[in-house]
Amino acid sequence: DSYADKLDTEVLIVGAGFGGIYLMHKLRQLGFKCKIYEAGKELGGIWHWNCYPGARVDTQIPIYEYSLPEVWKDWTWSERYPGFAELRRYFEHVDKVLDVKKDVAFDTRVVGAQFDKPSAKWIVETEDGRQATSRYLLLATGFAAKRHFPDWMGMDKFKGEIHHSSFWPDAGIDVSGKRVAVVGTGSTGVQIAQETGKTAGSVTVFQRTPNLALPMQQKEITQEEQEERKAKYPEIYKDRMKTFAGFQYDFLQRNTFDDSPEEREAFYEKLFTNGGFEFWLANYKDLLYVKEANTQAYNFWAKKTRARISDSRKRDILAPSTPPHAFGTKRPSLEQNYYEMLDRPENDVVDIKKTPITEVTETGIKTEDGQHREFDVIALATGFDSVTGGMKNMGLKNVDGVSLSELWKSGTWSYLGMSCAGFPNMFFLYGAQGPTAFSNGPSCVECQGDWIVDAMKKLKDEDIKYVDATREAEEEWRRKVTELSDKTLFPGTSSWYMGANVPGKPREQLNYAGGIPLYEKECREALDNGFQGFVTA
Ligand code: NA7
């Protein structure tokens, strides 16, 4: 009945990725009746949409997976940082264990939702004209549900293949011998470039801002290694919630200049060798707070990276000797052979900060300096209207009929990064003003998911019909989010964390920068104090 023209359910969840599935699983255990609406054709959220060449998670397993023993017990990965195909298989496994799909309506995009006071129910509309009513509405739509496309002239004229990274054809594109352009150098652009670089005739990266990418140190892992480690999983999962970003490591409890230059160098070296995000999230604790400390880290990164690029022009574009922005205030990608690949003579990097793209033609891309380069394939790795775009794009209205996109036009307001005033019995996770972009997805989802589930249990136990955040609580939360961020170096950099990647979007911190433990404490207090900051009836 998930596909019924008129569905009536207790809990309607939007999104069948990590978040939505977790919520449904936990709520089912408490006897809630749940349905999921999912715009895509399969489970997996971001791993359903992203099948571009090289799509891969940047967080090691077993950190990047559910902590649920029934799920991990019979699952084995092939490498430390699995690719999208393996992650899709993981979701098939999750479905087998948790029996998810029977309550999911796929191909179902939500385009309208408003809480109806008299019936105390959400009325939800889908793109194909179906309607659902539900006591609770839970949004698990992720931070990347709305793509960001550039607005260059002529995009529709290109005769070759042109695709946004998250609309890549599922069957893939054979790039062997072809001329590939990659626009954008976020995590996605770096991954597409290094992967297509293996077989393409040439790869040209159009870079606006260098990605201060870190060595991934990918490694195959055997079943035996994993089985042996599984005894420790419960402890690992408990510990990940005690770290800032929900990882297996955390910032060092020392400041950069507590150490001598030699000690510092040795420490940086160790982080680099360990690979992954260690150089970012296990670095000195002042890395993201003190400019001089940050510059030390940048200099080390630049030294290591510049040594890998023999072409001096490319070297200065990819890894300038002075920091283009504070290290780690934009998300570093994890690279495998990105710099060596681009260093090869057939490949190139174009600095589009200096010479912006002006036009896409039938055969290629034109830049401001009048140069026209020809391509067979253009990959648009230009990112997303991140964090807020998805929620603003689904026709949500408050009790007075004002749309969320209108309410969030000049800035974002939420309470605890999980609720909005005027949107009763609605919770969201992995979105605005939560730990979202500063955390590991599954950790964030489980932290917020557990809170939402406990809140709903409390509502049921105490027979509360209606819960709604207050405007004052939202104002206070926004103040907190801003204050935490203002202590860091994040506001000084134009990034999607700050809403600065989409023209016209208000510039503000979109994520909670206090770390998961502090976040969890604040949220728990609100609940333990009897829905503090909410009105209940
Ligand atoms: P990102 O990280 O938002 O990267 C988008 C990239 O595209 C970035 O390098 C942008 O440059 C560039 N960009 C965006 N718009 C334009 C235009 N108009 N012209 C030229 N270049 C442009 O998206 P990703 O998909 O890589 O990653 C998203 C997240 O998904 C990632 O952080 C992970 O958490 C998973 P800029 O840096 O703004 O100068």
Side-chain angles (χ1 to χ4, degrees), residues 143 150 152 184-188 208-209 330-331 352 381-384 496:
F143 74 86
W152 310 306
T185 51
S187 315
T188 304
R208 196 160 68 179
T209 312
K330 282 174 89 91
R331 191 177 179 287
I352 52 169
T382 45
F384 301 87
W496 60 260

Side-chain angles (χ1 to χ4, degrees), residues 381-456:
T382 45
F384 301 87
D385 181 349
S386 305
V387 191
T388 51
M391 263 174 70
K392 278 158 90 168
N393 200 33
M394 52 193 288
L396 284 171
K397 286 187 180 147
N398 75 3
V399 280
D400 301 320
V402 185
S403 70
L404 185 81
S405 65
E406 187 58 36
L407 292 165
W408 282 4
K409 204 169 180 177
S410 62
T412 306
W413 283 267
S414 83
Y415 178 44
L416 305 175
M418 287 190 283
S419 61
C420 297
F423 296 79
N425 294 1
M426 179 190 97
F427 298 107
F428 65 92
L429 49 65
Y430 210 45
Q433 300 183 338
T436 313
F438 301 148
S439 69
N440 167 44
S443 312
C444 181
V445 152
E446 293 196 6
C447 164
Q448 295 185 307
D450 287 344
W451 188 93
I452 292 171
V453 169
D454 288 347
M456 287 173 60

Side-chain angles (χ1 to χ4, degrees), residues 153-399:
M153 260 188 329
M155 289 241 284
D156 50 335
K157 295 214 182 87
F158 187 65
K159 291 264 162 63
E161 298 257 13
I162 179 165
H163 302 284
H164 186 277
S165 56
S166 70
F167 279 137
W168 206 262
D170 221 59
I173 296 174
D174 181 12
V175 296
S176 37
K178 298 201 174 133
R179 299 159 300 177
V180 177
V182 181
V183 185
T185 51
S187 315
T188 304
V190 169
Q191 291 187 336
I192 296 178
Q194 71 189 9
E195 183 67 22
T196 51
K198 291 177 183 167
T199 53
S202 68
V203 175
T204 305
V205 167
F206 291 82
Q207 171 192 292
R208 196 160 68 179
T209 312
N211 192 313
L212 313 184
L214 297 169
M216 174 175 263
Q217 312 290 24
Q218 174 70 299
K219 199 175 154 277
E220 285 181 13
I221 36 174
T222 63
Q223 180 157 11
E224 293 70 54
E225 281 172 297
Q226 284 170 77
E227 289 308 326
E228 221 171 277
R229 212 175 159 202
K230 279 183 182 177
K232 295 213 186 87
Y233 277 18
E235 203 182 318
I236 291 174
Y237 291 128
K238 214 186 266 164
D239 287 348
R240 82 177 171 181
M241 292 313 204
K242 295 180 193 151
T243 71
F244 182 92
F247 273 70
Q248 77 270 49
Y249 42 72
D250 207 349
F251 290 101
L252 186 70
Q253 284 313 304
R254 278 177 82 72
N255 286 319
T256 303
F257 298 106
D258 291 347
D259 281 349
S260 71
E262 295 74 30
E263 288 167 329
R264 207 157 46 231
E265 185 84 3
F267 177 58
Y268 287 156
E269 190 70 50
K270 189 187 92 186
L271 297 176
F272 236 69
T273 310
N274 290 349
F277 286 140
E278 289 204 28
F279 192 75
W280 186 29
L281 301 173
N283 213 312
Y284 293 105
K285 70 173 167 31
D286 55 356
L287 174 78
L288 297 171
Y289 293 85
V290 179
K291 186 141 186 279
E292 296 69 31
N294 192 285
T295 303
Q296 293 292 317
Y298 180 81
N299 291 345
F300 181 86
W301 176 87
K303 186 179 78 180
K304 291 296 252 192
T305 309
R306 288 173 67 83
R308 295 167 60 184
I309 312 162
S310 65
D311 180 315
S312 63
R313 183 186 58 85
K314 290 180 188 174
R315 190 193 304 138
D316 286 341
I317 298 174
L318 290 165
S321 42
T322 52
H325 51 266
F327 179 84
T329 55
K330 282 174 89 91
R331 191 177 179 287
S333 184
L334 297 190
E335 56 80 32
Q336 293 178 273
N337 61 342
Y338 182 64
Y339 298 105
E340 287 76 9
M341 185 278 295
L342 282 180
D343 197 29
R344 295 205 307 261
E346 69 272 25
N347 300 329
D348 204 1
V349 55
V350 182
D351 183 348
I352 52 169
K353 198 156 249 167
K354 272 207 187 115
T355 56
I357 293 173
T358 49
E359 193 182 343
V360 176
T361 68
E362 282 186 11
T363 55
I365 294 177
K366 232 186 216 169
T367 42
E368 211 173 71
D369 54 357
Q371 275 212 55
H372 181 257
R373 293 174 176 83
E374 298 206 328
F375 299 107
D376 305 301
V377 179
I378 301 178
L380 296 173
T382 45
F384 301 87
D385 181 349
S386 305
V387 191
T388 51
M391 263 174 70
K392 278 158 90 168
N393 200 33
M394 52 193 288
L396 284 171
K397 286 187 180 147
N398 75 3
V399 280

Side-chain angles (χ1 to χ4, degrees), residues 98-113:
L98 304 182
D99 201 10
V100 182
K101 283 190 191 172
K102 67 171 184 212
D103 285 318
V104 183
F106 293 103
D107 270 319
T108 301
R109 184 175 288 279
V110 171
V111 293

Side-chain angles (χ1 to χ4, degrees), residues 29-43:
Q29 289 181 327
L30 294 177
F32 282 95
K33 281 179 64 185
C34 306
K35 296 286 176 197
I36 299 185
Y37 275 179
E38 163 59 52
K41 292 187 185 320
E42 266 303 335
L43 303 179

